[in-house]
């Protein structure tokens, strides 16, 4: 069924803006940034074009630009040539589309492999969100980095610390050591309206501090970009869509309202050429703010789950495929159909059943999976939500206590993580035949390697075979846990790539 449904998913060549990403720490001032209250229409007799006051619009754009530009930075991603397979450039070519038909990606890889270590592998944008140097950006901007350099609009440069990342939302948080920096306030992105004016600020195509204007084209867009890359195990996609010009290098930059308040983090475009065609996408500020709050407070993202498998009823092709696969007759429409439950499901314990249609979470209407994704994904384990659903055509409600993926209802910190969670990978033993093929006496296969995790930084990706850790042979995930359970310091990992080439790399145990 899964393969059938995947084939029917709408395909889009989507462009994630290039660069290094880190999410900035936050200082959320309860600033009312409802730019829907802004009006650019007047009955003035001097105004043409349907009564629009163009001078007022221009004044607001100037004010917003002056506020935003000093708080938007360039992020340079430096990474070793051995990490080129997992580099940001791979993301750039996939998400933006390669107008050279694959030759562009090959050429970029060759350039990266030949580039000296003092040259960045990619560049993107970031937004300062506190005066003491926290910066928010995209996860794909900082992916694979050994060093991150932040350049302010005044050209002053800093080496940044990567505080944390979240591939599921494509958000990261960076920190530079400075005080009194210009920064942007988070707006309440729930209050934005389709049609309102916005500005996109970033560093596209190497053009620093570029400001472009447009409108909010749509809200709650799910474009399938995060999960399709295989980097996000449980992606949250509910993008703000805008027609403000966004190009490679804008990733991690600011989408602001005319007050200069941050309503989104620019992350992707949809394009057939890899360059701007009028469809840009930004992570909503409310979600981005929650992610950086978690990273600052807990060291990791706290993610609540309903514990259901589901079908987006707004997608008639998916509904048709599901009906054919399961011999059912569900109708396409609004809402999310419950098709099953995971282990230790809070939703099942609260009384939901297969066949129920979720139509609302708390006060938020649920019309499609993107709505459900952000409504639940912005909550933490232990949070309670009111779920409104239809069963046999009759509405009903229940209260669900959200849980984490392990069934827990309490928040966790880095200290609570298992060894494999800390280093960012799972492992599976290999059989004697595979060992003989590679000429080794021990080995485990890496899987579920977390982008930005310690294993990924060491150059390890899914499918690589690890033979030794700290000089000791490993044959199971338990071996890894025993070796590193109480270890602190630099970990030495010996591994082989897909071609049997051997490497030894190190990383500091988190």
């Amino acid at each position: 069924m899964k393969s059938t449904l995947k084939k029917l998913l709408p395909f889009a060549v989507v462009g994630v803006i290039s660069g290094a990403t880190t999410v900035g720490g936050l200082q959320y001032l309860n600033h009312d940034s409802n730019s829907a209250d802004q009006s650019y229409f007047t009955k003035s007799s001097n105004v043409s074009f349907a009564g629009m006051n163009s001078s007022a619009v221009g004044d607001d754009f100037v004010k917003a630009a002056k506020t935003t530009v000093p708080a938007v930075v360039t992020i340079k991603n430096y990474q070793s040539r051995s990490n080129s397979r997992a580099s940001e450039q791979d993301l750039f070519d996939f998400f933006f589309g390669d107008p050279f038909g694959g030759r562009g990606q090959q050429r970029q890889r060759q350039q990266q492999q030949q580039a000296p270590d003092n040259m960045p592998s990619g560049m993107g944008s970031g937004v300062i969100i506190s005066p003491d140097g926290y910066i928010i950006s995209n996860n794909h901007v900082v992916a694979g980095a050994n060093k991150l350099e932040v350049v302010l609009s005044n050209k002053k440069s800093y080496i940044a610390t990567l505080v944390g990342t979240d591939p599921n939302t494509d958000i990261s948080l960076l920190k530079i050591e400075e005080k009194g920096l210009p920064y942007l306030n988070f707006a309440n992105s729930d209050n934005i309206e389709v049609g309102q004016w916005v500005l996109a600020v970033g560093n596209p195509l190497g053009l620093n501090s570029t400001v472009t204007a447009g409108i909010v084209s749509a809200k709650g867009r799910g474009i399938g970009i995060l999960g399709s890359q295989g980097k996000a195990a449980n992606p949250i996609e509910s993008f703000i869509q805008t027609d403000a010009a966004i190009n490679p290098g804008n990733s991690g930059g600011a989408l602001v309202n005319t007050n200069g308040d941050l309503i989104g983090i620019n992350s992707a475009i949809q394009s057939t050429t890899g360059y701007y065609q009028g469809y840009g996408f930004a992570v909503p500020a409310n979600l981005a703010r929650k992610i950086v709050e978690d990273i600052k407070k807990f060291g990791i993202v706290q993610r609540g789950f309903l514990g259901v498998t589901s079908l987006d009823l707004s997608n008639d092709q998916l509904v048709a495929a599901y009906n054919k696969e399961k011999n059912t007759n569900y109708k396409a429409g609004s809402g999310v159909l419950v098709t099953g439950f995971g282990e230790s499901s809070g939703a099942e314990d609260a009384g939901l059943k297969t066949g129920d249609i979720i139509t609302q979470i708390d006060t938020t209407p649920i019309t499609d999976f993107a709505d459900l994704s952000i409504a639940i994904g912005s909550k933490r384990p232990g949070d309670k939500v009111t779920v409104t659903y239809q069963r046999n055509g009759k509405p009903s409600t229940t209260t669900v206590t959200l849980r984490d993926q392990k069934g827990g209802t309490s928040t966790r910190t880095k200290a609570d993580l298992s060894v494999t969670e800390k280093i960012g990978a799972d492992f599976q033993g290999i059989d004697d035949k595979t060992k003989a093929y590679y000429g080794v006496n021990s080995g485990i296969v890496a899987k579920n390697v977390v982008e930005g995790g310690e294993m990924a930084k060491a150059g390890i990706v899914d499918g690589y075979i690890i033979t030794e850790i700290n000089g000791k042979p490993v044959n199971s995930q338990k071996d890894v846990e025993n070796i590193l359970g109480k270890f602190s310091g630099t970990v030495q990992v010996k591994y082989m790539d897909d071609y049997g080439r051997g490497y030894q790399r190190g990383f500091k145990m988190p």
Side-chain angles (χ1 to χ4, degrees):
M1 179 191 73
K2 187 179 291 184
S3 60
T4 305
L5 296 181
K6 281 185 176 179
K7 290 179 181 177
L8 287 163
L9 286 173
F11 176 76
V13 180
V14 181
V16 176
I17 321 299
S18 73
T21 54
T22 354
V23 197
L26 40 85
Q27 178 180 13
Y28 179 48
L29 309 175
N30 285 323
H31 181 69
D32 182 7
S33 52
N34 180 2
S35 54
D37 292 338
Q38 299 286 342
S39 176
Y40 302 107
F41 294 86
T42 176
K43 297 180 180 179
S44 169
S45 58
N46 315 348
V47 181
S48 57
F49 302 114
M52 187 170 70
N53 188 333
S54 58
S55 63
V57 172
D59 290 344
D60 286 335
F61 285 173
V62 170
K63 184 194 307 181
K66 285 182 177 180
T67 299
T68 307
V69 166
V72 175
V73 303
T74 299
I75 299 176
K76 298 181 180 180
N77 177 327
Y78 297 84
Q79 52 188 269
S80 66
R81 292 185 290 276
S82 64
N83 286 352
S84 62
R85 170 175 172 175
S87 72
E88 175 276 333
Q89 186 62 43
D90 295 340
L91 291 175
F92 168 80
D93 282 342
F94 180 87
F95 289 121
F96 271 92
D98 181 3
F100 300 101
R103 297 189 302 277
Q105 185 182 54
Q106 181 180 5
R107 183 179 61 199
Q108 288 287 351
R109 285 179 176 171
Q110 290 171 349
Q111 289 173 349
Q112 286 179 357
Q113 291 169 356
Q114 295 167 1
D117 291 337
N118 63 347
M119 295 293 291
S121 297
M123 290 194 294
S125 304
V127 183
I128 303 172
I129 54 173
S130 68
D132 58 346
Y134 280 101
I135 298 168
I136 189 170
S137 184
N138 289 136
N139 176 64
H140 75 264
V141 171
V142 299
N146 293 328
K147 181 176 75 171
L148 293 166
E149 181 184 3
V150 168
V151 183
L152 305 187
S153 62
N154 63 8
K155 308 303 180 186
K156 194 170 182 180
S157 177
Y158 303 81
I159 299 302
T161 299
L162 180 58
V163 181
T165 65
D166 181 35
N168 288 314
T169 55
D170 195 26
I171 289 295
S172 62
L173 179 63
L174 296 169
K175 177 73 165 63
I176 61 175
E177 296 307 316
E178 188 57 277
K179 296 180 180 178
L181 293 170
Y183 65 98
L184 296 185
N185 292 321
F186 283 93
N188 183 351
S189 55
D190 289 345
N191 290 338
I192 65 171
E193 298 287 347
V194 173
Q196 80 173 66
W197 288 106
V198 292
L199 299 181
V201 183
N203 307 291
L205 305 174
L207 302 172
N208 292 338
S209 302
T210 294
V211 180
T212 57
I215 62 169
V216 173
S217 303
K219 301 193 299 181
R221 287 290 196 209
I223 55 179
I225 190 172
L226 300 179
S228 63
Q229 266 296 295
K231 306 296 183 182
N234 296 284
I236 302 176
E237 288 195 8
S238 187
F239 293 114
I240 300 168
Q241 182 181 331
T242 179
D243 64 351
I246 294 174
N247 276 298
N250 273 114
S251 276
L255 188 70
V256 300
N257 59 26
T258 53
N259 292 327
D261 296 320
L262 189 64
I263 64 171
I265 300 299
N266 297 321
S267 298
I269 65 172
Q270 183 166 307
S271 171
T272 57
T273 65
Y275 296 96
Y276 171 74
Q277 288 186 325
Y279 309 99
F281 301 92
V283 178
N286 285 6
L287 178 59
R289 184 177 66 245
K290 186 265 180 186
I291 297 302
V292 296
E293 283 176 344
D294 282 355
I295 293 173
K296 284 188 71 177
K297 185 175 181 179
F298 304 105
I300 57 175
V301 176
Q302 308 294 319
R303 178 82 180 270
F305 291 86
L306 268 180
V308 301
T309 56
S310 60
L311 176 68
D312 186 344
L313 293 178
S314 72
N315 190 316
D316 54 355
Q317 290 181 305
L318 288 178
V319 173
Y322 184 84
N323 283 334
K324 183 177 181 181
E325 188 84 23
K326 296 293 186 180
N327 194 28
T328 53
N329 59 352
Y330 291 107
K331 295 180 179 180
S334 180
V336 174
L337 175 73
V338 176
T339 60
F341 299 93
E343 294 182 10
S344 303
S345 168
E348 188 173 27
D349 288 349
L352 284 170
K353 296 182 179 180
T354 300
D356 290 345
I357 299 173
I358 298 172
T359 58
Q360 186 170 300
I361 300 294
D362 293 330
T363 60
T364 303
I366 304 300
T367 60
D368 55 24
F369 185 76
D371 290 340
L372 181 64
S373 174
I374 195 168
I376 298 299
S378 58
K379 304 289 186 181
R380 299 183 175 100
D383 286 350
K384 297 181 185 296
V385 295
T386 300
V387 178
T388 302
Y389 61 95
Q390 288 188 355
R391 180 179 297 168
N392 300 323
K394 296 180 179 180
S396 187
T397 62
T398 187
T399 300
V400 177
T401 301
L402 303 181
R403 300 176 180 176
D404 62 24
Q405 285 187 289
K406 296 181 180 296
T409 58
S410 59
T411 55
R412 305 166 73 204
T413 67
K414 275 190 174 181
D416 300 318
L417 299 179
S418 67
V419 167
T420 53
E421 286 175 321
K422 288 179 180 178
I423 63 178
D426 292 321
F427 307 97
Q428 183 175 340
I430 59 176
D431 56 29
D432 292 338
K433 185 177 179 180
T434 304
K435 292 177 183 177
Y437 178 82
Y438 284 102
V440 296
N441 296 318
S442 61
I444 50 177
V445 176
K447 61 180 185 176
N448 301 325
V449 177
V450 176
E451 182 181 355
E454 300 306 321
M455 281 291 177
K457 291 177 185 177
I460 295 169
V461 299
D462 285 1
Y464 279 16
I465 294 176
I466 298 165
T467 56
E468 293 181 6
I469 294 180
N470 286 350
K472 299 178 182 179
V474 286
N475 289 291
S476 66
Q477 183 157 303
K478 188 174 182 180
D479 287 344
V480 178
E481 293 168 351
N482 289 337
I483 294 170
L484 298 180
K486 297 182 179 180
F487 181 81
S488 62
T490 300
V491 178
Q492 293 295 327
V493 181
K494 187 178 287 187
Y495 64 91
M496 295 185 300
D497 64 15
D498 295 337
Y499 302 99
R501 294 175 295 197
Y503 303 88
Q504 183 164 319
R505 299 282 186 268
F507 62 84
K508 189 173 181 180
M509 189 68 187

